[in-house]
Amino acid sequence: MKKLSFFVCAMCMALVSCGAPEPAQVESVVAYTRVGDINNVMVDAIEITVSNPRSLWGLKAEDFDLINNMPDGFVDPATGQAPVPYEDDGIVLTRTKNTLRIEANSFNYRGRRGQNRQMEGWQLVCNADPNLNVTTEQVTDTRLAVLDDCVKGSFTYAGITREYILHLPKDENGAVIENAPLLVWQIGGGEYNRDLMTAALANRCMVSLPEADVPCATLMFAIANPNYSYSASLDPERIKLIDRNNALQMAFIDTLIEEGKVDGSKLFCAGASSGGGCTMRFMMQFPDRFKAAVPCCAMDPIVPIHKATEKYDGQFTDDIEKAFQGKVYKWNGEDMVLEDMDTKAFCDLPMFFVHADSDVTCKVISSHAYYGARKRLGATNDLIQIYDDAYMLSFGIPKMISHFSWVPLLNDYSEGTAMDWLVKQMQ
């Protein structure tokens, strides 16, 4: 009887011991992030690894709370007002051995902007064990989706050297897909003369296709010179530099084709703002090399538009039509020299123009003029989509900054959109 009593007491002690809370001993905290829409890195999940896995037993989503977890976007599309932290954090827990994965509604890694416009960092609070509290200071490693897996390097051609970032699609076994289509993105003026990662994080240009599961290579060069700005077409040296940058990019693309990484018959180009203008010049230089292009809210390196006054209705279209029958700079092995452009090949190349109607940085008239001039010259496969204020707002972009039309462009793959059209061109 005494032996049985001892056994029962021992079992009770063991049960009490198992149920007692054990403070976590944290070994590492990893933030899983991705590129957001507006120069933001967004957090999708946090993984906490501990040395004592028992400390993770019994934890529930209700034990955690996120503070200062701001959604992406300048405004809340539902209210049209400034965004606020999520009411429902959307927390989901998964435990694997000694690692706790906390998934949540994506939030800005920088936190929220508080009083005096100072950033207030995000916090993960664990009500069950303060040792599992996390702030940015506790994060030991950050994983950035897509960009971490990209190839980064530099390339020299036409007398200049530029850094690049390249995503190569992979199959389900993790092997690089050979002879993939390629989209080369032309960066906007705000990213000129900036470091490579600043340019890559400015928008979703590098990650849009991979995150949509489209097996297409994506390429972006950091343009290491000041933005060419408005009315660049009046300055031959600026135009020469734009064309030189494009010549370098074309030469690098040729190396990818030679290495079997890219299909030379499925080359595509897109860009926004200054990059939209560079897209136009790129296609003027090498119209026979590309299959399609998407100029977004394009600037004016063809003729002056955005700081100029149209003297009569249709003048810009007339001026552009003439420019599309003119000359472009090409590298001859020693210098950039003027050559006649192939207007027919240029007009045979399909383009999909996109622009926000209320854009005051790059006026929508530029896209209308580009589209109209090409149509006059025989282009029959072009499309144009003008985003109204309501459409822009649905992506968190208010009227006052409607220049950001690359946000809906890179997010919307629904039927009839530019990205839907682009993907279909890749077939």
Side-chain angles (χ1 to χ4, degrees), residues 159 245 261 370:
N245 283 318
K261 295 184 174 73
Y370 289 140

Side-chain angles (χ1 to χ4, degrees), residues 327-388:
K327 296 179 181 292
V328 290
Y329 285 97
K330 290 195 175 184
W331 179 249
N332 68 356
E334 296 181 357
D335 197 3
M336 299 295 294
V337 295
L338 284 172
E339 295 183 10
D340 291 333
M341 69 172 286
D342 187 340
T343 301
K344 182 181 184 307
F346 175 71
C347 292
D348 287 344
L349 170 71
M351 291 191 182
F352 198 131
F353 295 91
V354 294
H355 216 124
D357 194 39
S358 296
D359 190 339
V360 295
T361 303
C362 291
K363 295 181 290 189
V364 70
I365 194 173
S366 65
S367 288
H368 285 300
Y370 289 140
Y371 176 80
R374 282 173 50 85
K375 187 174 182 178
R376 286 187 191 176
L377 292 168
T380 59
N381 296 312
D382 287 358
L383 294 170
I384 187 168
Q385 183 176 13
I386 307 302
Y387 303 150
D388 61 25

Side-chain angles (χ1 to χ4, degrees), residues 1-22:
M1 195 68 170
K2 289 182 179 179
K3 289 183 179 180
L4 181 59
S5 298
F6 176 79
F7 177 75
V8 172
C9 290
M11 286 292 292
C12 290
M13 290 177 64
L15 288 171
V16 171
S17 175
C18 288
E22 181 179 344

